[in-house]
Amino acid sequence: MSDANGATGAAGPEPEGGGAAGRRVRVVLVDDHRMFRTGVQAEIGQTETTGVEVVGEAADVDQAVSVITATRPEVVLLDVHLPGGGGVEVLRRCAPLMADIEQPVRFLALSVSDAAEDVIGVIRGGARGYVTKTITGSDLIASVFRVQEGDAVFSPRLAGFVLDAFASTDAPPVDEDLDRLTQREREVLRLIARGYAYKEIAKQLYISVKTVESHVSAVLRKLQLSNRHELTRWATARRLV
Amino acid sequence: MPEAATAPLAPPRPPRKLYRSSDGRWLGGVARGLAGHLGLPVIWVRLVFAGLFMADGLGALLYAAFWFFVPLGVGGVDDRRPPSLVGTETSPDGRRRLVARKPDRGQIVALLLMVVVAMVFVGNVNLGDGAKAYLWPAVLVGAGVALVWRQADNARRARWAEVGRRRRTLTLLRSAAGVLLVTAGVSAIFVLQGSAAHLGSVLQAALAVLVGITLLAGPYLIRMTQDLSEERLMRIRAQERAEVAAHVHDSVLHTLTLIQRNAENAGEVRRLARAQERDLRAWLYKPEGNGKEEDEEPDTLAEAVRRHAAEVEDKHGVPIEVVVVGDCPLDERIGPQMQAAREAMVNAAKYGGDGGPVQVYAEVEGRTVFVSVRDRGPGFDLDAIPADRMGVRQSIIGRMERNGGTARLRAVPDGGTEVELEMERAEKTS
């Protein structure tokens, strides 16, 4: 529901986004709905114009793991709800591939789900970002390239979840560095949640796009590494709210 | 058990089926069930049973037979009970029916009463010395059996009422006590047949039998209980799934039909699809939001923002994306802020809806509530708006300022307008 206009703020062409620069990215699609895979393939798979090359598809966890291992793509578009354990299970079993220094496989979660549990779950599992399926083709392509470069991709809704999770607890942090967002990171997240693109955020805060990216990546890292259990508890509680 | 006793007295089987009452019962719910079935006051039935009990314990046998053969049900409660009877006879019982959480106090009183009556009966009855000696063991056995049967009833009732799960140890204790009573009674009978000298060996034999039975039947029983609870879990899941299916069936199919009918009207199709999506999401991801609360007034910030966004979205056909961080109850200052936010959403939908969805962000931070509404339309210059167009000035800026908040309108660098509304929450009243 949230990102028709720019999951990451990808509204408007980003300087490094898109295949115009002649860059290529190899992508695997993991989704149990064939119709959806076909749709995504049709939208982003025109390698000549988009620079995205879909090298494999998978419909469940086992298939996904074997396809990803076999093709070694740079980016995996991963559905959260999958037969066989869900996206989290794929992430768990592909952990060695993600950690590979030479040629890391990076995951971008792509789901219709709005549940905080799902969102936080895949991010904690190591996905580099989370976008919803209403995202437009061009935004999705921009997000794929951003993930390929190792940046994080936050949708407004994900930014909202993170702000909520990091704000709503009174418990003292276990690890100060990880369990708190800096003032700047909060500002950046807040602007993402308000629907700003990276470029707009940079202008608004008088910083460079690169700095925005590094803030977002820092937040993602904290989200993945933060060892406070409040995060999971928060996610479960949200579901019950 | 005396099957023969039930044969002549088998309950009539007209359309109405006889059930033991699980509600407001003293012992097995037999009297209450019968009373409900025959349309008599329950006290009469109880008196009849008591009277029969005095007749060489016939009442007890009858009662036991009914208890054994008649299934436990929900019906049979005598609602037309005269209040006077309640007051005099069963005041704990009457209270129990109101406070459904504590079903056991009245029953304990009733049981004690019964024990007293039984003792009086035992004391008075004249059976001859031989038979009288066996009376006490028989009473013991009866009490043990009653205890265990009650337990079984409770377990069965818990299946449909979801009660009684909380006290597992008590359940075990009760069962153990029942078994102990029966064992003691039976041992006593054996001892009486022989002599006191055999007490040790009889007890040993009884214990051996008990251990043997436990060894043989224990694993089987445990497995059965596990299977049962698993089956119950599956049933709950199936029920949930059926509920989802029903909901999806109803609302989604309905919407799809409407969409097919309005296929030419792109705006209407979009509106229907959005409304359905919202509904489905609310239903799937918020267990409580099953779509039935639509009519209730929202009482928290998040609810209010979502409600207003949904309404504006439906009315103007422009998607509105909502992100809410934190939440707080509405108060006399946040209420007007929500009104202003709604006005801003309407403006954004009307004048800025072509550039993409309207984005609404609401955040509660400490005592401050911040709402931003942004569109990607052609932009908006407050100074260029004719003075007679009071919409923005009055209903957004004016409203915020009258209530002690601030409103800012500004052009976003790359096109579009953003309205920022900030308000301090009212002082806590509690």
Side-chain angles (χ1 to χ4, degrees), chain A residues 2 5 112 194-196, chain B residues 281 321 363 376 410 418 420:
Chain A
S2 58
N5 200 11
V112 291
R194 282 159 72 172
Y196 280 62
Chain B
R281 276 180 195 286
E321 289 161 1
E363 182 180 6
R376 291 173 183 275
R410 56 194 192 83
E418 176 155 22
E420 296 177 338

Side-chain angles (χ1 to χ4, degrees), chain B residues 7-51:
Chain B
L9 284 144
R13 300 265 162 142
R16 282 196 302 172
K17 202 161 183 270
L18 177 61
Y19 283 111
R20 283 186 291 119
S21 165
S22 67
D23 208 9
R25 62 193 182 142
W26 278 5
L27 195 58
V30 170
R32 172 134 295 198
L34 266 176
H37 189 69
L38 301 173
L40 295 172
V42 65
I43 189 74
W44 289 14
V45 182
R46 281 183 180 144
L47 283 176
V48 167
F49 269 114

Side-chain angles (χ1 to χ4, degrees), chain A residues 92-107:
Chain A
R92 201 181 59 75
R93 281 161 64 179
C94 290
L97 299 177
M98 279 194 271
D100 190 291
I101 297 169
E102 291 291 308
Q103 195 199 342
V105 177
R106 292 183 168 122
F107 288 83

